[in-house]
Amino acid sequence: MNAKTALIIGATGLVGNYLIFKLLQSDRYENVITLVRRPMHLKHPKLDERIVDFDNLTRQDVSGANDVFCCLGTTIRQAGSQEAFRKVDFVYPVEVGKLALQAGATQYLLVSSIGANAQSSIFYSRTKGQVEAAIGELGYRSYTVFRPATLLGKRKQFRLGEEVGKVLDFALSPLTLLIPPLRKYKGIQASKVASAMLNIADQEVPGQHILESDALQRF
Ligand SMILES: NC(=O)c1ccc[n+]([C@@H]2O[C@H](COP(=O)([O-])OP(=O)(O)OC[C@H]3O[C@@H](n4cnc5c(N)ncnc54)[C@H](OP(=O)(O)O)[C@@H]3O)[C@@H](O)[C@H]2O)c1
């Protein structure tokens, strides 16, 4: 099989950081493009870092990509408003998807979230459901959505929601042995999500696929 070019957005984040190192180590990719808003200070012969303005993306920014990996995201608290949150979690992933498809990409892998539902009354879950659907409508040959529960891993800044999630996760653990449907709510290591993305990208199964968090635990 020919080596491909990966494009990653959100490479400086928790999942994205694991993923970029896996992509750089993978024989399947001869180039790894990353779209960032400031330099990552990472050097690698395969790395093609592109500093972009996410509000004014062009086809040139995404040129050359075969597989698009989206690990972008923020919180409403960090973004400052629902509108600013939606830009990062909806507008940018869709815009990159549109441009990359026009430029020849064939596969899109999106980190969404457990509970994503375009009809949800919860703004976060609704936005995640809407971004899943909007990318699904673009027409990628292969499209996979990853829906992790609380992400586990070392993060520089404190996030209350995640800390609450970790406590609930600890309480939930014994119950998941007795009640298997609860397994999808168990926290998941961000590195596992990244491994799942790489593994699924390698298979490039045509069509649209959704992997819930319990399925991601297997990677
Ligand atoms: N945290 C959880 O427990 C959890 C659970 C389920 C699903 N998820 C979802 O999983 C995905 C990955 O989460 P994560 O925790 O790995 O993400 P993260 O660590 O918060 O990283 C977010 C990434 O998005 C970029 N970003 C944020 N705001 C931006 C902006 N205004 N313009 C351009 N780039 C921006 C960041 O770049 P900079 O470095 O430039 O800021 C970073 O690369 C997200 O979609 C998240 O919603 C998270």
Side-chain angles (χ1 to χ4, degrees), residues 9-17 35-38 52 54 70-75 78-79 84-85 87-89 92 110-114 124 128 146-152 155 157 159 161-162 188 190 193:
I9 49 174
T12 52
L14 189 59
V15 174
N17 211 253
L35 303 191
V36 284
R37 48 184 177 165
R38 58 183 86 92
V52 298
F54 280 90
C70 176
C71 307
L72 211 67
T74 187
T75 59
Q78 247 181 350
F85 167 84
K87 252 192 182 182
V88 180
D89 280 67
Y92 299 161
L110 172 74
V111 185
S112 175
S113 176
I114 189 166
Y124 175 84
K128 290 298 197 187
F146 300 79
R147 287 184 178 165
T150 301
L151 292 173
L152 307 174
R155 205 185 275 287
Q157 81 279 39
R159 285 193 185 171
E162 270 179 33
I188 180 160
V193 179

Side-chain angles (χ1 to χ4, degrees), residues 106-109 135-136 139-145 200 203-210:
T106 54
Q107 177 164 223
Y108 197 116
L109 303 109
I135 294 167
Y140 273 84
R141 190 165 73 209
S142 176
Y143 171 45
T144 305
V145 170
I200 295 293
Q203 297 172 31
E204 202 171 348
V205 179
Q208 301 198 358
H209 317 277
I210 295 178

